[in-house]
Amino acid sequence: MKPTKKVLGAEEFFQTKIKLENELIRLEELERDSKNCITNMVQLSETLIQISQTNESPYFLQRSKRLSIEIHKFQIKNEYKQKEFDSLFHILDKIKSEDKIEFLDSALKNRITRIAQHIVEKKRTPITSQNLKGKLVFICYVLEGVNFLIPKKSYRILRDIPAFKKQLKIGEKSVPLFPGPGFVLMEEGEKKQKNVILMKDSSKKEHGFYFDELKEDWAVSKTSLEGLLEKDSTNGQVLGKIKRKGKLYHLVKI
């Protein structure tokens, strides 16, 4: 007896259902594998950052951080469109094995710099209370290649603060931060961290100053300062600028 049309239709239906179920199982496995791949990519990008930091290579560190940001976006969006792949491959293409000599160059440069700084520090004459008589003392620091001076007071340093915020919340207090947002233009999604000098003004209110590096303190007489200072009204917190040994220093008030 031949199977009826309904019987044949039922068999086809359930065979098709089994095929669909198999495809679903395959998709589930692919999804699980893709998540594992992305987790591995995140870990590997963090390893690239650590190696770049250990080798003190800003060239590779910048690219590794950019790559890490894009991979995190990839992970958060959970979208695997072609443009996401193109963005990642574009960054990876910029990290060329031919440039590995840069690791050695950076390590050598940093070592030479440290040795030179050590020699300079040995030669420096420490500022003592005797040679400070009648002089104003300023903290000298560098931020993004720009030199700043602030009157020296008792201060403390905060490390790894998100860069260029308008203010910093410490407990219940909001501490204003100089120079604040807009000092450096950053790409979308780019994150930077800086150190902050924290000190109190005459009214005991705290102020924060972003910095990359502290330099040797300045000691100068009030008369000399007035003669050197070129007043600047473009920023309410900057009193003016001083040119010394071919470099500009911006005097910040507190």
Side-chain angles (χ1 to χ4, degrees):
M1 183 178 176
K2 291 183 178 180
T4 65
K5 190 174 181 180
K6 285 187 177 181
V7 171
L8 291 172
E11 287 181 0
E12 183 182 4
F13 177 87
F14 283 101
Q15 286 173 359
T16 305
K17 177 255 181 185
I18 291 169
K19 288 179 182 178
L20 190 151
E21 189 174 19
N22 288 335
E23 288 299 319
L24 180 61
I25 291 169
R26 183 167 170 267
L27 178 62
E28 184 183 27
E29 289 173 349
L30 289 172
E31 176 70 11
R32 194 181 302 115
D33 289 343
S34 69
K35 286 182 178 178
N36 290 336
C37 284
I38 293 173
T39 300
N40 290 337
M41 286 166 62
V42 169
Q43 292 172 348
L44 291 168
S45 69
E46 289 171 354
T47 301
L48 288 176
I49 291 172
Q50 289 171 2
I51 294 171
S52 300
Q53 288 173 332
T54 302
N55 285 273
E56 298 178 307
S57 172
Y59 176 85
F60 285 108
L61 181 59
Q62 182 184 9
R63 283 157 179 75
S64 298
K65 284 183 175 179
R66 189 69 189 159
L67 181 65
S68 180
I69 288 168
E70 291 300 321
I71 291 173
H72 278 290
K73 284 183 186 176
F74 199 65
Q75 185 181 37
I76 292 166
K77 286 183 179 179
N78 199 26
E79 291 180 343
Y80 313 129
K81 294 180 181 177
Q82 190 60 47
K83 66 177 183 179
E84 273 76 28
F85 285 103
D86 289 344
S87 177
L88 292 171
F89 280 118
H90 177 69
I91 298 170
L92 285 167
D93 285 342
K94 286 188 173 183
I95 304 174
K96 299 176 182 178
S97 60
E98 291 87 346
D99 294 331
K100 63 184 176 184
I101 189 66
E102 200 276 339
F103 269 124
L104 301 175
D105 287 346
S106 292
L108 182 59
K109 285 175 188 174
N110 285 306
R111 187 178 176 191
I112 291 170
T113 301
R114 283 195 296 269
I115 292 170
Q117 286 176 343
H118 182 65
I119 293 170
V120 169
E121 284 169 4
K122 278 190 171 182
K123 290 182 178 179
R124 283 177 182 164
T125 303
I127 297 176
T128 64
S129 57
Q130 290 181 341
N131 53 32
L132 285 182
K133 193 173 182 180
K135 291 186 178 181
L136 304 172
V137 182
F138 297 91
I139 295 170
C140 179
Y141 68 89
V142 181
L143 175 65
E144 294 286 332
V146 181
N147 300 293
F148 292 95
L149 298 169
I150 49 174
K152 186 161 187 179
K153 301 172 182 281
S154 177
Y155 68 91
R156 58 194 175 108
I157 290 176
L158 304 180
R159 303 284 182 186
D160 301 325
I161 303 300
F164 309 121
K165 295 176 68 174
K166 188 176 182 179
Q167 56 187 18
L168 179 65
K169 195 80 172 175
I170 301 179
E172 296 181 356
K173 296 183 296 182
S174 292
V175 178
L177 294 172
F178 177 86
F183 183 74
V184 172
L185 296 176
M186 291 185 284
E187 294 183 34
E188 185 181 352
E190 184 181 1
K191 294 181 181 178
K192 281 188 177 183
Q193 290 185 319
K194 299 288 182 182
N195 304 316
V196 170
I197 299 169
L198 209 61
M199 64 170 60
K200 294 179 180 179
D201 62 17
S202 56
S203 65
K204 304 300 180 183
K205 181 182 177 181
E206 282 193 308
H207 296 262
F209 303 87
Y210 281 115
F211 77 96
D212 292 319
E213 182 184 2
L214 290 176
K215 295 291 189 179
E216 186 179 4
D217 289 350
W218 270 36
V220 61
S221 69
K222 187 176 180 181
T223 305
S224 297
L225 180 66
E226 289 172 351
L228 292 169
L229 184 64
E230 181 183 334
K231 292 186 178 180
D232 187 351
S233 59
T234 55
N235 184 301
Q237 204 166 345
V238 177
L239 295 172
K241 52 192 175 183
I242 298 169
K243 192 169 185 179
R244 183 183 184 188
K245 295 181 180 179
K247 291 183 180 180
L248 279 177
Y249 295 82
H250 300 267
L251 180 59
V252 183
K253 67 179 179 181
I254 178 170

